[in-house]
Amino acid sequence: MAGPQAAQPEQVTATALGTWPGEDPLEAARIIRGELGSPHLPFLAELPDRGVGSDALGRTASLLVDLAVDVQPHGWRIVDRPGKDFRRAHSALSTDINILADVIGAEDTPATDIKVQLRGPLSLAAGLHLHNGERALIDHGARRDLAASLAAGAGGYLSRVAAAAPGARIVVQIDEPEIASVLAGTIPTSSGYRTLRSVPGREATDAWQLVIDALRAAGAVEVVVSVPEVEAPFERILAAGADGIAVPLRALTSRQWEQLAGAVESGKRLWAGALDVANPAAALPRVADVVETVWRPWRQLGLPASTLGALRVTPSDGLSGHSPSSATAVLGRLTQVADGLNQLALG
């Protein structure tokens, strides 16, 4: 079953990457939806400050079908039957979705879109451990099973979000923070004395395609893969059928910019991590300066201003290390940057 298609983007919009400070999902939902109303993209916040089960890895692992996890001394491990940490992660996510439903139900004009985040299959395999304590990444069968289990669990997750946000179009961000190390073979074994063999690029593409296809079948209108800027495998992400790429702009090479320009010209979206928030104590960059970090390479690559609508602007990093007031200010600054880029697009 094909899901609904994303509308052709007409203007630059803003969103953030998912993590949020504090432990209060109600406050987070109210702030995020207040700052990122239509046409921007509010998101279901991840609150890692709540502890085990609210971290990105545990949250995604709680969605797995026919695979259970629990926390052991070395981290999350695949186990025979769900333990208390698995149940805690599942419960926290259910609470967040229920609260989202309450907040949306009280809104006069709810935003037309909502975003959720998932840890991608390769970074999931790098973060979860097998019974013997080694990372699941070491075993081809385990990697395959994890990707299939994640794909199977994605549909139920999107159904729950759709029930909480009636009529909203669901956008999904697949996070692959470990992808460069996975593909380069630089992730250490549990002993730390050697590294795990690199995963073939074709396998990464296939794993993403499996999850992306499942998300689309479950109704996602847009699926992007979020990666760090270093050694980001843009071509493989696009080959897997993603609608776009989310990446920080701070260290992109000219070759990477050329790849992204080609993607935009072929109808893909760029989620540009244009607002540098790596230092929560630093003052936010000026709107004009952030607009210029996007517009300068755009112009140099010969992309017309009319194609700026393919952009979503995001922070360079998640916001869990910020204070709630600082994170709120980031969202406000992002919408100002989007406005500035839209003025350029209109000429």
Side-chain angles (χ1 to χ4, degrees):
M1 180 183 71
Q5 291 301 300
Q8 193 60 28
E10 296 175 354
Q11 58 186 315
V12 183
T13 54
T15 192
L17 297 177
T19 59
W20 191 259
E23 302 178 23
D24 186 344
L26 177 59
E27 179 192 41
R30 284 175 172 163
I31 291 173
I32 290 164
R33 297 186 64 80
E35 295 291 332
L36 296 178
S38 292
H40 303 295
L41 181 59
F43 54 93
L44 182 64
E46 296 174 356
L47 302 169
D49 288 351
R50 287 190 295 193
V52 170
S54 291
D55 57 295
L57 196 65
R59 195 171 174 92
T60 298
S62 77
L63 303 174
L64 296 174
V65 172
D66 296 331
L67 283 176
V69 296
D70 206 45
V71 174
Q72 307 290 325
H74 46 254
W76 285 97
R77 191 172 82 168
I78 298 170
V79 292
D80 294 328
R81 60 183 61 84
K84 68 179 189 308
D85 300 311
F86 181 93
R87 291 191 292 272
R88 184 175 173 185
H90 193 273
S91 172
L93 182 56
S94 295
T95 296
D96 292 353
I97 293 172
N98 291 338
I99 286 172
L100 176 71
D102 292 342
V103 171
I104 290 174
E107 291 174 347
D108 293 330
T109 52
T112 55
D113 295 355
I114 177 82
K115 175 172 72 79
V116 296
Q117 303 80 223
L118 293 171
R119 183 58 56 103
L122 283 306
S123 296
L124 195 62
L128 294 179
H129 295 78
L130 301 172
H131 289 273
N132 63 6
E134 198 48 85
R135 295 175 192 271
L137 194 68
I138 199 172
D139 183 272
H140 176 266
R143 298 195 302 265
R144 184 190 58 224
D145 291 348
L146 274 173
S149 178
L150 180 59
Y157 181 32
L158 263 58
S159 297
R160 291 155 66 195
V161 174
R169 301 179 308 168
I170 302 176
V171 177
V172 183
Q173 170 190 320
I174 299 174
D175 292 321
E176 287 284 11
E178 307 291 346
I179 193 59
S181 302
V182 167
L183 295 178
T186 57
I187 289 185
T189 59
S190 57
S191 69
Y193 291 121
R194 57 188 183 89
T195 56
L196 298 177
R197 183 179 300 169
S198 62
V199 171
R202 178 73 237 177
E203 184 185 328
T205 303
D206 290 346
W208 288 329
Q209 185 169 358
L210 184 69
V211 175
I212 290 168
D213 287 351
L215 289 166
R216 285 236 173 78
V221 299
E222 182 180 342
V223 183
V224 303
V225 178
S226 174
V227 288
E229 67 275 24
V230 180
E231 302 296 325
F234 296 155
E235 290 171 353
R236 295 211 166 274
I237 291 169
L238 298 175
D243 295 301
I245 292 165
V247 65
L249 302 188
R250 56 194 163 206
L252 289 182
T253 63
S254 355
R255 166 72 181 139
Q256 287 178 309
W257 266 111
E258 286 166 8
Q259 288 179 299
L260 292 170
V264 167
E265 288 175 329
S266 68
K268 300 295 186 178
R269 298 204 68 160
L270 170 59
W271 290 24
L275 185 63
D276 192 348
V277 296
N279 179 4
L284 287 175
R286 295 187 321 128
V287 173
D289 293 340
V290 182
V291 167
E292 187 63 15
T293 64
V294 178
W295 178 234
R296 186 189 307 112
W298 206 265
R299 194 174 57 235
Q300 288 170 345
L301 288 162
L303 289 168
S306 58
T307 59
L308 284 168
L311 282 172
R312 288 196 201 275
V313 289
T314 78
S316 59
D317 301 271
L319 299 175
S320 58
H322 289 244
S323 66
S325 60
S326 168
T328 304
V330 167
L331 300 188
R333 184 58 49 92
L334 285 167
T335 61
Q336 293 169 342
V337 170
D339 288 344
L341 287 165
N342 281 321
Q343 288 171 22
L344 289 170
L346 293 170

